[in-house]
Amino acid sequence: QEEEKAAIVLQAWHRGNMARATVAIIKVEMEELQLQRDVQEMKKAKNEAATKLQARQRGRSARSRVSEMRAESARLAEEKQQVECEAATKLQARQRGMAARASVAALKDEKRAKNEARAAAAIKLQARQRGNAARARAEDLWMQKLVEEEALRKRKSLEAKNKAATIVQARYRGAAARSEVAEMRVESARLAEEKQAMQEAPVRSSKRLSVGSDAWLGAVAA
C-alpha cells in the first residue's frame, strides 16, 4: 500500500510537472504571439507613418509640379498665341496666294476646257463622219453580199433544176430502155416460138405420112 501511495504521489507529481510545463509552454507561446502582434502593430504604425510622410512628400512634389506646369502652361500659351498670330498671318498670306493661284488655275482650266470641248467636238464630228463612212461601206458590203447571195441562190436553183431535169430525163430514158428491152424480149420469144413451130411442122407431117402409109399397107395386106 505504501508503494502504491508512493507511486500515486509520484504520478501526481509527474502530472503536475507536465501540466506546469504545458502551462509554461502555453504562456511562452502566448507571449510570443503577443510579441508578434506588437511587432506587426509597430510595423503597421511605421508603415502608416511612412505612407503619410510619403503622401506629404508626394503632395509637395505634386504641388511643386503643378506650379511648374502652370508656369510652363502660361509660357506655352503665350508662345502659342504668338505662334498662332504668326500662323494666322502666314495662313492669310497663303490663302491670298492660293486664291490668286486658284483664279489663275480657273482661267487656265476654263481655257483648257474650251480647248478640250473644241477637240471633243472635232473628235465627235470625225467619229460621226467615220461612222457614216463605215455604215455606208457596211451597207455597200451588205448590198454586195445580198447580190452575191441572190446570184448564188439563183445559180443553185438553176443547178437544182438542171439536176432535176437530168434525173427526170435519165428516168425517162431508163423507162424507155426498159420498155424497149421488154418489147424486144417479147418479140424474141415470139420469133423463137415461130422458129420452133416451123422446125416441128415437117416432123409432124412426116409422122402423119408414115402413119397413113402404114395404115394403107395394112389394109392391102388384109
Side-chain angles (χ1 to χ4, degrees), residues 145-175:
K145 184 178 180 181
L146 288 179
V147 171
E148 291 176 354
E149 289 179 354
E150 183 65 19
L152 180 62
R153 186 183 64 79
K154 288 181 179 180
R155 187 168 63 251
K156 288 184 177 179
S157 177
L158 181 61
E159 290 177 354
K161 289 180 181 179
N162 293 333
K163 186 176 181 180
T166 302
I167 292 172
V168 171
Q169 291 174 0
R171 289 179 179 175
Y172 179 77
R173 287 195 295 272

Side-chain angles (χ1 to χ4, degrees), residues 43-63:
K43 286 182 179 180
K44 184 178 180 181
K46 186 178 180 181
N47 290 332
E48 289 177 354
T51 302
K52 289 179 180 180
L53 181 61
Q54 291 173 358
R56 288 178 183 177
Q57 290 177 350
R58 285 196 297 271
R60 290 174 184 173
S61 298
R63 286 189 292 273

Side-chain angles (χ1 to χ4, degrees), residues 38 43 68 72 78-79 96 98 101 143 164 180 217:
D38 293 339
K43 286 182 179 180
E68 292 175 356
E72 183 68 16
E78 185 177 356
E79 291 179 356
R96 286 192 295 270
M98 290 175 64
R101 287 190 293 274
M143 291 297 296
E180 186 177 356
L217 291 174

Side-chain angles (χ1 to χ4, degrees), residues 72-89:
E72 183 68 16
S73 178
R75 185 181 63 79
L76 292 175
E78 185 177 356
E79 291 179 356
K80 181 181 179 183
Q81 186 176 2
Q82 184 178 358
V83 170
E84 287 177 351
C85 290
E86 294 177 356
T89 303

